[in-house]
Amino acid sequence: MSATIHCGTQKNLARLARVLKRGGLVAVPTETVYGLAANALDAEACRRIFRAKRRPANDPLIVHVADLDTLSHIAVPNEAAAKLARAFWPGPLTMVMTRTAAVPDVVTSGLPSVAVRMPAHPLLRRLLKICRLPLAAPSANPFGYVSPTSAAHVLEGLGDAIDHILDGGPCRHGIESTIVDIRAPKRPILLRPGVISAAQLSKVLGVHVANLSRRQVSRKPALAPGMLARHYSPRRPLALHRRITAAMVARAGAGDVWICFRKPSWAAAAPNVFWLSERGDLAEAGRRLFALLRSLDRGRWIRLHAETAPSRGPGLAINDRLRRAAGFRS
Ligand code: TXA
Ligand code: MG
């Protein structure tokens, strides 16, 4: 593996900013998951992202900006976008807006829109300020696999394909940003749930933010590119359950491993039982989900089982990722 993991010293940040300005790739920490970044204004640099990840060209990238000046260079924010930016940026919210001519087609897969977010991670913010560029960055994993929430995860998946990883520690949220299409301000559409919920967005906007239906996607795939595919998936098959019980575990084989939402009272006796949060805290569960899926996927198990989270707040995003990881089979 050729990638180097850099800690966030001023000297390293200056060096990585030079790599980005020259058209190179740098994996960067964000508060959601690690991203694989390149200069969003440089088409060739962005093509390198697709190659490194083996990502299909019809799955557009999210562009990360440090400030509203950079935003207005690449997108045309309306009043609704401005409201959401005031309420949630910097933070784990991506907005789909009309794009400007400054954005190369490769970033948006040729769509007339661009997805933008202002990240909150302090190291990435410093890097964005030093390089003074918008950075296109999808999650820093080989296409289709579970998103990385630590520098070690990035190394494991892309260590042979990239040279530089900036280590910002484990990600605070551990689940990709909420994505909302805000172009029609009276009818915003939630394209991907995240830790910022549709209810929180609706409250700030004063209009209902609708969930994207699978029917809408199949009628108009360009509305939500990259959303129908199986995604975030471990290699081992994953089955979902509303509730995991001691009897289910006892009946199953030795190759089955179980991820409960919270620590069950009977867990101590079972070495193949894990949980996302001891006390059932949704934020902690989100933070741990991908790391746990990855580590169990590396283990000796044949089949993974997971219990869905309570359907509220970040629990909706956790369940969305679990359903995708299960390939929509359960
Ligand atoms: O938290 C995150 O959003 C992370 C960090 C690195 O910022 N990024 C991320 O990117 O998860 P990723 O790999 O999910 O890819 C971006 C997704 C695409 O698959 C697509 O669903 C959506 O963002 N997207 C990008 N541009 C879009 C557009 N113009 N219209 C609709 N959806 C878009
Ligand atoms: Mg991704």
Side-chain angles (χ1 to χ4, degrees):
M1 286 194 226
S2 64
T4 307
I5 297 186
H6 306 269
C7 61
T9 60
Q10 198 56 29
K11 200 171 147 210
N12 285 347
L13 291 174
R15 178 168 168 216
L16 296 175
R18 283 197 298 276
V19 169
L20 289 163
K21 282 187 177 171
R22 282 200 310 262
L25 302 183
V26 178
V28 295
T30 88
E31 70 278 30
T32 57
V33 301
Y34 275 69
L36 181 58
N39 175 2
L41 305 177
D42 178 341
E44 188 44 44
C46 292
R47 271 194 279 277
R48 286 193 187 107
I49 294 180
F50 285 85
R51 283 201 293 271
K53 277 183 60 92
R54 299 174 185 275
R55 182 182 179 100
N58 62 2
D59 192 355
L61 309 178
I62 294 176
V63 180
H64 299 68
V65 297
D67 47 51
L68 297 177
D69 278 349
T70 316
L71 171 70
S72 59
H73 186 56
I74 59 168
V76 189
N78 54 20
E79 187 47 44
K83 267 191 198 163
L84 291 182
R86 275 195 296 276
F88 298 109
W89 278 1
L93 175 68
T94 298
M95 289 188 255
V96 173
M97 303 178 200
T98 302
R99 69 148 150 160
T100 68
V103 186
D105 276 345
V106 56
V107 172
T108 67
S109 304
L111 295 173
S113 59
V114 62
V116 193
R117 91 177 181 97
M118 190 187 287
H121 195 291
L123 272 191
L124 177 55
R125 291 184 64 73
R126 276 168 61 200
L127 184 63
L128 282 164
K129 286 201 173 118
I130 297 171
C131 69
R132 299 166 67 95
L133 290 170
L135 294 179
S139 52
N141 51 309
F143 180 70
Y145 195 61
V146 181
S147 291
T149 56
S150 71
H153 292 165
V154 180
L155 186 69
E156 190 179 278
L158 293 180
D160 291 328
I162 62 174
D163 294 328
H164 303 286
I165 302 170
L166 174 60
D167 189 352
C171 299
R172 174 148 53 102
H173 298 304
I175 288 200
E176 303 85 348
S177 61
T178 306
I179 306 182
V180 64
D181 186 337
I182 195 71
R183 284 173 296 165
K186 296 224 162 62
R187 288 191 302 121
I189 307 169
L190 188 79
L191 301 183
R192 178 171 76 184
V195 294
I196 295 176
S197 66
Q200 282 174 286
L201 300 177
S202 300
K203 197 164 164 202
V204 169
L205 291 173
V207 295
H208 177 66
V209 176
N211 275 302
L212 179 76
S213 71
R214 285 175 72 79
R215 216 172 100 229
Q216 270 172 306
V217 185
S218 45
R219 254 197 268 140
K220 205 176 163 196
L223 191 63
M227 278 293 140
L228 261 192
R230 183 183 159 129
H231 227 106
Y232 316 102
S233 303
R235 290 181 199 90
R236 310 267 189 283
L238 168 70
L240 300 190
H241 308 276
R242 219 188 250 286
R243 204 168 136 64
I244 291 173
T245 64
M248 285 161 74
V249 174
R251 269 198 311 272
D256 288 76
V257 64
W258 304 82
I259 304 173
C260 299
F261 174 65
R262 62 188 299 166
K263 183 178 179 181
S265 52
W266 44 267
N272 56 342
V273 176
F274 296 79
W275 45 89
L276 291 176
S277 166
E278 180 151 351
R279 289 200 205 105
D281 175 67
L282 284 166
E284 185 187 28
R287 191 154 58 233
R288 294 197 55 217
L289 175 66
F290 289 161
L292 189 57
L293 281 176
R294 278 173 173 264
S295 82
L296 297 179
D297 203 25
R298 273 198 309 267
R300 63 189 166 83
W301 313 106
I302 296 168
R303 203 170 313 109
L304 315 185
H305 299 265
E307 188 173 64
T308 49
S311 308
R312 59 186 151 80
L316 295 168
I318 292 173
N319 292 341
D320 170 77
R321 303 313 188 269
L322 282 174
R323 279 194 294 273
R324 288 171 193 280
F328 298 110
R329 279 170 311 205
S330 324

